[in-house]
Amino acid sequence: MSTSDQDQSVDTPIPAPDAGTAAELEAETEAEGEAEAEGEAEGRRLTPRQARRLRIALSSVGMVAMAVVLGLRIASRSSVLVVGVYGLALILCGVVIELSRNGRTRLGSWLLAVGLVAAIGSDWLLIP
């Protein structure tokens, strides 16, 4: 608060707006209805904090999934390539979590999507 805000009394009444014609009141009511409709549409969007939390949760789920797949793939065939591919995917999920914590959710989203698709694609193409 600035000094000028602190000087004002809390109990000071707010002056009432001048009463207008019926047409002006009707126009104001329509404008308020449109503003509420826009507010509801904007209310469906995630706040930055919610987006960060969602990205962290998705990255954590991806990390757990990659760890499970890594364990299953190592059990079936032990290969350095398997460990490399899924190890890089785990590292990528960790990087996305850290990016999300720092507010870089769009970059984290793209990295997570591209990285997980690349990991699954390289598993399918490279690992016999």
Side-chain angles (χ1 to χ4, degrees), residues 20-74:
T21 63
E24 290 176 355
L25 292 175
E26 186 177 323
E28 287 178 14
T29 306
E30 288 178 15
E32 288 175 1
E34 291 174 4
E36 288 178 8
E38 289 176 10
E40 289 175 4
E42 290 177 5
R44 294 184 198 140
R45 297 185 65 184
L46 295 176
T47 64
R49 176 175 278 173
Q50 290 172 333
R52 284 193 300 270
R53 288 184 178 171
L54 178 65
R55 193 72 49 233
I56 289 171
L58 289 175
S59 297
S60 300
V61 168
M63 194 176 239
V64 169
M66 289 297 142
V68 168
V69 172
L70 175 62
L72 293 173
R73 294 290 288 188
I74 287 177

Side-chain angles (χ1 to χ4, degrees), residues 1 4 14 18 25-26 28 35 38 51 68 70-71 76-77 82-83 86 88 97 101 107 111 113-115 124 127-128:
M1 282 184 157
S4 63
I14 300 172
D18 295 333
L25 292 175
E26 186 177 323
E28 287 178 14
E38 289 176 10
V68 168
L70 175 62
S76 67
R77 61 177 69 89
V82 170
V83 174
Y86 288 104
L88 287 175
I97 289 172
R101 286 183 58 223
L107 177 63
L111 278 177
V114 170
W124 182 64
I127 301 172

